[in-house]
Amino acid sequence: MRLVSQLLFLTFTLLAFNAGHILPGAAKEENREHKVWARAGSSVVLPCHLSPRKMWKLPEKTSVLWKRHGGSAQQEPLVVLEVGYSGLRKTALPMRPRVSVQDSALLSGNFSLRIDPVRSEDAGLYEALVAYNTLIQSCQVELGVITVTLSPPSPVIENEPLLLSCNSSHQASLVEMCWFHNGHLVPTSRTFCSLHGALSILRPAMSDAGSWRCQLRYSDNEIISTTYHLQILGFDGPTNPVVYAAAGSAAHLPCALSYLPSAFGVNAVSGHWSRLAGEHLQDWSISQNSSSRSFPLHLPRVEPGDAGQYRCSVSVGSKTISRDVTLAVVTVTPSIQGLVSEGSRLLLVCSLTHPRGHERFQWKQLNSALAKSKLSVATSHNLEGHRPRMGPTLEIPHVSQRDMGTWECSVYGPEGRLGAVEYELQVTGARVSSPPTTFSGQVTFGLMLTLFLLLTVCVLALALQKRARSPAFPGLEGMFAVTVPRKKEMEENQKEKIQQTEC
Ligand SMILES: *[C@@H]1O[C@H](CO)[C@@H](O)[C@H](O)[C@H]1NC(C)=O
Ligand SMILES: *[C@@H]1O[C@H](CO)[C@@H](O)[C@H](O)[C@H]1NC(C)=O
Ligand SMILES: *[C@@H]1O[C@H](CO)[C@@H](O)[C@H](O)[C@H]1NC(C)=O
């Protein structure tokens, strides 16, 4: 009894995890009954190996008949499949496309029956009758079916309440049902082992996808389990994605399903984007075929007014799933619009339309116009310009020629660089003329005026001196101009000298 149950467990384990393989050593167990468990929807092989040494040298003289003894006792055994002496096959109508034996395997005494896919109503006792001339041998295999039921049925949608339940064709009364996710018993806080053990997942998330094992324990100590691979249809990427785009540039809003809808057998798929902009609803429809799971929205040019929440809705068969995507636009606001004069104080403020509060900003001069035109001057000053500066506001206290060019503001989040925006700084006075020229011109004019005035003074002084020295009668001069005028003349002479030195 112990051996039998161990054997059954082994059979079950092999079949549950890798349906389609035969129990080794079955050839020695001819005419003995086996029990095989299979999950509805998977495939199963009912083993029947008869030793070739007994006969079967000439397969055309062999016939095989697989019958199922009805689940309910009153029914006649149902012919599942018959391979006659001539190789003719007959199959029972309800199972016709799902059952097969391998012709090549018959030669080696392998009369196993393959059922793909198994249905819950296939459960029952199967018998193979193998006839060679008058010699008849038989195999008996009991097929037990475990059914995993999803409510609502597949495809399972992210965040949509889900009930997973499990039953089997075993006749005894169920004592306990347990669920294991990826090999671990589901935490008791979330569920469980219980009598009416349906597993309820209120908000299925992508993390709930994967293998789920249902283990059933019956009053006769029979333990049956099966594994179900749960796929959840949702979206790729984070739950509330934010897309960062520079004002004036293009934006791509992503919307990709976690699986190809065709993986769920659904071919009718359509994508749709909408946005409530103030009072009116904008919408875009994205046409894709079922071999695509991506429905991105491309906006060729975004401005701060385009920022906000966009909704991507994808219809998969009769179900529609939606995801909100936020578009955040990065802008630069300069304190001076347009051309900036050299020497002025300029503030460039980098901002986000939808800040989440943890963003960091970084300013960097990408290329200096001066560095381009005067390569020889590209020394430490320009390197300084390329060094990034932190914070949303970039202050240039005295705009100079070397500040001219492209400035980039990058936005960083905990996850890395989110986006960037560029600003073209145009500085006037690039030809070393206009405003500085008027200034130096004024200076020159003032200097010239001063010089001219000084010159005039000199000329006047000289003229005065000449007039004082030119009396018509030198003798007369010699007579009474002995003292005072002489002294005066000397004084005048000295004055002239001083003036000349001054000039
Ligand atoms: C016996 O035949 C079945 C299909 O009918 C096949 O799946 C199985 O692998 C075969 N077993 C061996 C041992 O060849
Ligand atoms: C298990 O449940 C499924 C779905 O409810 C049902 O179709 C099937 O007949 C049940 N199987 C048994 C053995 O009760
Ligand atoms: C589906 O679209 C992809 C590209 O979007 C294309 O390569 C493929 O041929 C299309 N398939 C069908 C069946 O239209």
Side-chain angles (χ1 to χ4, degrees):
M1 188 62 211
R2 212 185 161 84
L3 186 83
V4 170
S5 65
Q6 271 179 354
L7 193 69
L8 281 175
F9 181 74
L10 183 68
T11 312
F12 147 70
T13 314
L14 279 167
L15 287 163
F17 287 96
N18 205 354
H21 288 274
I22 284 186
L23 186 72
K28 293 175 205 138
E29 307 277 327
E30 55 186 71
N31 298 326
R32 291 262 296 274
E33 190 186 312
H34 297 294
K35 185 148 189 177
V36 171
W37 286 99
R39 179 175 56 78
S42 69
S43 68
V44 70
V45 172
L46 307 185
C48 180
H49 292 261
L50 297 173
S51 167
R53 98 186 109 81
K54 295 256 172 75
M55 39 185 204
W56 336 123
K57 295 266 158 43
L58 300 163
E60 63 272 17
K61 293 268 175 71
T62 311
S63 75
V64 190
L65 173 69
W66 272 100
K67 291 191 290 186
R68 189 178 95 203
H69 298 274
S72 42
Q74 77 275 8
Q75 277 181 312
E76 279 282 291
L78 176 79
V79 174
V80 173
L81 179 138
E82 188 178 1
V83 182
Y85 293 116
S86 56
L88 194 78
R89 282 158 192 262
K90 291 179 194 162
T91 44
L93 205 56
M95 294 184 84
R96 181 169 291 163
R98 300 185 289 117
V99 289
S100 63
V101 289
Q102 230 178 327
D103 284 333
S104 57
L106 296 179
L107 287 163
S108 57
N110 177 0
F111 301 98
S112 306
L113 179 75
R114 184 179 167 85
I115 310 176
D116 184 16
V118 175
R119 292 185 186 160
S120 59
E121 66 265 24
D122 293 341
L125 180 65
Y126 288 74
E127 187 177 25
L129 295 173
V130 181
Y132 176 72
N133 292 337
T134 53
L135 193 61
I136 294 178
Q137 291 216 346
S138 75
C139 293
Q140 285 197 336
V141 183
E142 192 178 344
L143 174 65
V145 179
I146 310 173
T147 311
V148 176
T149 315
L150 299 183
S151 167
S154 181
V156 175
I157 306 291
E158 194 179 17
N159 294 328
E160 211 171 82
L162 171 71
L163 205 66
L164 266 174
S165 72
C166 179
N167 65 5
S168 88
S169 55
H170 194 65
Q171 295 301 311
S173 60
L174 185 69
V175 172
E176 187 186 63
M177 181 192 293
C178 294
W179 287 93
F180 301 83
H181 184 208
N182 291 325
H184 302 285
L185 183 66
V186 175
T188 41
S189 58
R190 275 226 10 233
T191 23
F192 56 83
C193 288
S194 76
L195 176 54
H196 304 290
L199 174 73
S200 128
I201 307 176
L202 278 178
R203 290 174 65 84
M206 284 302 160
S207 56
D208 293 319
S211 73
W212 284 89
R213 189 157 68 87
C214 156
Q215 182 183 280
L216 302 166
R217 190 158 64 84
Y218 289 92
S219 54
D220 58 356
N221 284 328
E222 179 85 44
I223 293 176
I224 305 159
S225 79
T226 193
T227 304
Y228 182 79
H229 193 79
L230 183 66
Q231 285 187 320
I232 296 177
L233 188 60
F235 293 99
D236 265 355
T239 314
N240 293 304
V242 182
V243 171
Y244 296 83
S249 71
H252 279 277
L253 308 189
C255 182
L257 296 176
S258 53
Y259 294 99
L260 269 178
S262 51
F264 297 88
V266 179
N267 287 314
V269 195
S270 68
H272 180 256
W273 280 89
S274 59
R275 178 192 178 221
L276 195 63
E279 292 286 288
H280 76 283
L281 187 78
Q282 286 178 286
D283 55 30
W284 301 263
S285 73
I286 314 287
S287 54
Q288 288 283 25
N289 60 38
S290 58
S291 54
S292 174
R293 57 187 182 93
S294 184
F295 303 84
L297 176 65
H298 176 74
L299 299 169
R301 187 186 164 89
V302 295
E303 296 300 342
D306 299 316
Q309 209 163 62
Y310 289 73
R311 173 162 290 193
C312 172
S313 305
V314 181
S315 302
V316 179
S318 59
K319 299 186 180 182
T320 298
I321 55 173
S322 304
R323 161 153 296 184
D324 288 336
V325 178
T326 303
L327 172 66
V329 177
V330 195
T331 55
V332 172
T333 315
S335 59
I336 302 166
Q337 293 293 333
L339 291 173
V340 179
S341 318
E342 209 170 341
S344 43
R345 177 174 178 262
L346 176 69
L347 292 176
L348 296 177
V349 182
C350 187
S351 57
L352 263 180
T353 53
H354 288 76
R356 283 183 292 175
H358 52 52
E359 292 89 356
R360 285 178 297 108
F361 297 85
Q362 197 184 73
W363 276 101
K364 197 175 161 190
Q365 188 172 13
L366 290 186
N367 56 356
S368 158
L370 199 70
K372 265 191 224 159
S373 57
K374 295 183 185 174
L375 279 170
S376 55
V377 198
T379 51
S380 57
H381 266 318
N382 291 303
L383 291 174
E384 224 167 77
H386 287 282
R387 196 186 302 146
R389 301 192 213 174
M390 309 311 289
T393 306
L394 174 75
E395 185 188 354
I396 307 178
H398 301 285
V399 173
S400 75
Q401 290 299 318
R402 62 168 180 273
D403 297 322
M404 196 153 90
T406 312
W407 287 85
E408 184 196 59
C409 166
S410 306
V411 186
Y412 290 87
E415 61 271 51
R417 195 169 186 259
L418 306 172
V421 62
E422 287 181 4
Y423 180 77
E424 267 316 303
L425 176 58
Q426 297 285 346
V427 180
T428 58
R431 285 173 287 114
V432 196
S433 51
S434 343
T437 319
T438 50
F439 175 69
S440 68
Q442 276 168 357
V443 172
T444 321
F445 179 69
L447 267 168
M448 280 170 74
L449 194 73
T450 319
L451 278 168
F452 178 73
L453 281 170
L454 272 170
L455 213 73
T456 320
V457 170
C458 285
V459 168
L460 271 171
L462 276 168
L464 273 170
Q465 192 188 3
K466 259 206 181 131
R467 203 206 261 172
R469 222 198 285 170
S470 63
F473 312 101
L476 200 85
E477 191 210 358
M479 276 169 72
F480 62 84
V482 190
T483 49
V484 185
R486 275 262 169 221
K487 205 185 174 191
K488 205 180 176 185
E489 195 189 73
M490 275 169 72
E491 274 176 12
E492 291 250 43
N493 257 334
Q494 272 178 342
K495 241 188 196 170
E496 194 191 350
K497 265 183 191 154
I498 294 165
Q499 277 189 345
Q500 273 172 340
T501 49
E502 274 179 3
C503 287

